[in-house]
Amino acid sequence: AKAAGKGCYRFFIPDMHEAARQRQLLESDLRVALERGEMSLAYQPCVDSLSEEVTGFEALIRWVHPDRGPVSPAHFIPIAEELRLIDELGEWVLKTACAEAANWPAHISVAVNLSPVQFKSPELPFVVRMALAQSGLPPSRLELEITEGVFLSNDDHVHEMIGSLKDIGIKLALDDFGTGYSSLSYLQRVPFDKIKIDRSFVSGASDPASRNAALIRAMVGLASDLKMQTTAEGVETKEELQLVRDLGCSLVQGYIFGKPMPDEQARALAAKGSAA
Ligand code: C2E
Ligand code: CA
Ligand code: CA
Ligand code: CA
């Protein structure tokens, strides 16, 4: 099928065998992608909504497949989770992000995404400590982003894990807030430093009387009562920026201030200070 080229190929509706075969190819390529140096991190600026100064960057994994080109993390992270490659991949992300961020200006933080699968590994706090120790990055400059998915496996284990991570001195953010199925009760029990309001609420919102604005307002109010910061994700336009700023989001992330970029570019932007 590969030899047939993309042009011919896309006219066929891939049957289950073909889909399974494609998937198998991707799986075996994913197993060796790290050692072949095909993975890298891109960093997206996080900006103070009022001063427009860069406060940190979110690390986002990038995989450039030798034949297929860039493969989206939304596509391969779930596969890595199923194959149990996520621990190895996640460890690499943590180590690389800490090592690269250690060369940024001292007030700039780095945020790393954690998969709920990674969160189940009892070794995670050790891996985080190692990444910090090896890089020399102070724990206060590392933020870990988890999603509501973490709370689907109820148990005390989750809260124990959060306790051990907080003990290290890192910051904790709740990612994609508002999109999950969990109740609000974990907000009461978990000492998040930050809530990241999902792009689906922000996208296209400009009218303070809209439903999305009402939802953002409620999330910001809740977060501020709980002494948590809020980041508006996926801000693309001036109108969206104006709205989330007016609604009191303290931080903003989105294409309006910068797409995910290579380490060198992130470092230069951080040194410059302002994303405007
Ligand atoms: P996420 O953590 O919610 O990351 C935000 C995603 O939105 C990123 O996509 C980012 O490039 C994109 N984005 C940022 N600003 C804008 C904007 O203004 N407009 C639009 N349309 N998109 C914007 P990306 O890099 O493709 O990552 C997708 C997801 O893959 C992430 O969603 C995260 O769940 C996962 N992911 C990425 N890197 C890692 C990683 O290192 N570890 C784990 N476990 N998951 C990761
Ligand atoms: Ca994230
Ligand atoms: Ca997010
Ligand atoms: Ca997301």
Side-chain angles (χ1 to χ4, degrees):
K2 216 185 209 169
K6 281 180 195 153
C8 313
Y9 191 61
R10 78 166 89 101
F11 294 104
F12 293 93
I13 296 166
D15 60 18
M16 268 166 58
H17 292 299
E18 183 52 30
R21 213 181 66 84
Q22 285 295 325
R23 165 72 188 239
Q24 256 172 20
L25 281 175
L26 200 68
E27 284 183 11
S28 56
D29 289 345
L30 190 55
R31 286 182 200 280
V32 293
L34 254 191
E35 59 193 66
R36 288 189 183 161
E38 293 163 11
M39 296 287 181
S40 64
L41 294 182
Y43 296 96
Q44 185 178 39
C46 181
V47 170
D48 182 292
S49 72
L50 296 176
S51 71
E52 300 195 359
E53 267 162 29
V54 177
T55 63
F57 292 86
E58 176 178 1
L60 295 155
I61 195 165
R62 294 292 175 260
W63 179 21
V64 180
H65 187 280
D67 310 321
R68 300 177 194 220
V71 185
S72 161
H75 184 55
F76 73 78
I77 291 284
I79 300 178
E81 288 172 337
E82 263 176 61
L83 298 179
R84 267 284 168 186
L85 292 171
I86 193 68
D87 291 301
E88 196 193 342
L89 210 57
E91 184 170 342
W92 178 84
V93 171
L94 266 167
K95 281 189 175 162
T96 307
C98 289
E100 294 185 331
N103 293 316
W104 299 344
H107 62 285
I108 302 287
S109 61
V110 67
V112 170
N113 292 284
L114 291 183
S115 141
V117 177
Q118 248 177 308
F119 213 73
K120 286 192 194 134
S121 160
E123 312 208 325
L124 182 61
F126 174 75
V127 171
V128 172
R129 281 181 194 275
M130 281 291 283
L132 289 168
Q134 285 173 356
S135 63
L137 188 79
S140 58
R141 284 175 61 195
L142 176 63
E143 189 171 289
L144 300 177
E145 298 192 0
I146 61 176
T147 58
E148 290 160 311
V150 158
F151 301 97
L152 288 180
S153 55
N154 70 46
D155 26 290
D156 304 330
H157 165 77
V158 173
H159 293 278
E160 249 170 61
M161 177 59 83
I162 286 168
S164 345
L165 290 175
K166 286 298 294 181
D167 284 346
I168 300 174
I170 55 99
K171 302 250 160 52
L172 204 59
L174 181 55
D175 202 0
D176 300 345
F177 186 59
T179 63
Y181 299 96
S182 318
S183 78
L184 290 178
S185 70
Y186 53 74
L187 276 187
Q188 176 192 37
R189 292 193 288 157
V190 179
F192 287 109
D193 298 281
K194 188 183 283 180
I195 284 170
K196 300 190 75 174
I197 299 174
D198 191 70
R199 181 164 71 90
S200 55
F201 298 98
V202 173
S203 207
S206 58
D207 177 4
S210 65
R211 299 176 72 90
N212 273 352
L215 290 165
I216 297 171
R217 193 178 291 112
M219 291 188 256
V220 171
L222 189 62
S224 112
D225 285 351
L226 295 168
K227 309 280 181 282
M228 298 169 186
Q229 281 193 302
T230 39
T231 305
E233 288 196 278
V235 175
E236 294 182 353
T237 67
K238 279 193 188 135
E239 291 73 25
E240 291 163 2
L241 175 62
Q242 184 67 49
L243 181 75
V244 298
R245 187 187 271 153
D246 290 348
L247 292 176
C249 290
S250 43
L251 298 160
V252 172
Q253 230 182 311
Y255 293 170
I256 190 168
F257 287 125
K259 292 195 173 177
M261 59 186 83
D263 170 47
E264 312 82 67
Q265 237 171 293
R267 201 189 323 160
L269 181 60
K272 195 179 126 220
S274 166

